[in-house]
């Protein structure tokens, strides 16, 4: 159970430090809807920082040998955590900004 807590704290700390990037992406995505509605550009600007940060984070956590979990469990945990963040991020965008 301890390796899962380690992964959770690493992912949570990185997401906490990435909040300014997420917020900036939300603002830019909200302004991109002014010119013609929600389009491909809006979703690209909106999701690119989240996806890039989570892919890099997943690769880094796979390289950490001190977390004693198999690669498949690290991948499953990273996928579930990333999907949760993406869903919450989407709710924040559509409820509060658009």
């Amino acid at each position: 159970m301890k390796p899962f807590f380690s992964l959770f704290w690493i992912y949570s700390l990185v997401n906490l430090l990435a909040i300014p990037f997420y917020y900036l992406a939300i603002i830019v995505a909200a302004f991109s809807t002014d010119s013609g509605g929600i389009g491909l550009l809006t979703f690209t600007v909106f999701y690119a920082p989240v996806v890039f940060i989570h892919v890099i984070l997943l690769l880094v956590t796979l390289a950490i040998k001190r977390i004693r979990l198999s690669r498949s469990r690290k991948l499953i945990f990273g996928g579930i955590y990333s999907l949760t963040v993406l869903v919450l991020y989407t709710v924040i965008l559509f409820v509060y900004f658009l």
Side-chain angles (χ1 to χ4, degrees), residues 22-39 41-43 45-47 89 92-94 96-98:
Y22 297 163
Y23 190 71
L24 180 65
I26 288 173
I27 291 172
V28 171
F31 280 118
S32 72
T33 61
D34 290 342
S35 61
I38 298 174
L41 176 66
T42 304
F43 288 110
V45 167
F46 179 62
Y47 289 112
Y89 193 59
I92 288 170
L93 174 75
F94 286 108
Y96 294 107
F97 286 93
L98 296 181

Side-chain angles (χ1 to χ4, degrees), residues 6 14 26 32 49 53 56 58 60 64 68 71-72 74 83 86-87 89 94-96:
S6 298
V14 168
I26 288 173
S32 72
I53 287 172
I56 292 170
L58 182 64
V60 168
I64 296 175
R68 302 202 182 272
R71 285 182 164 244
S72 61
K74 287 181 183 179
L83 285 174
L86 284 173
V87 167
Y89 193 59
F94 286 108
V95 170
Y96 294 107

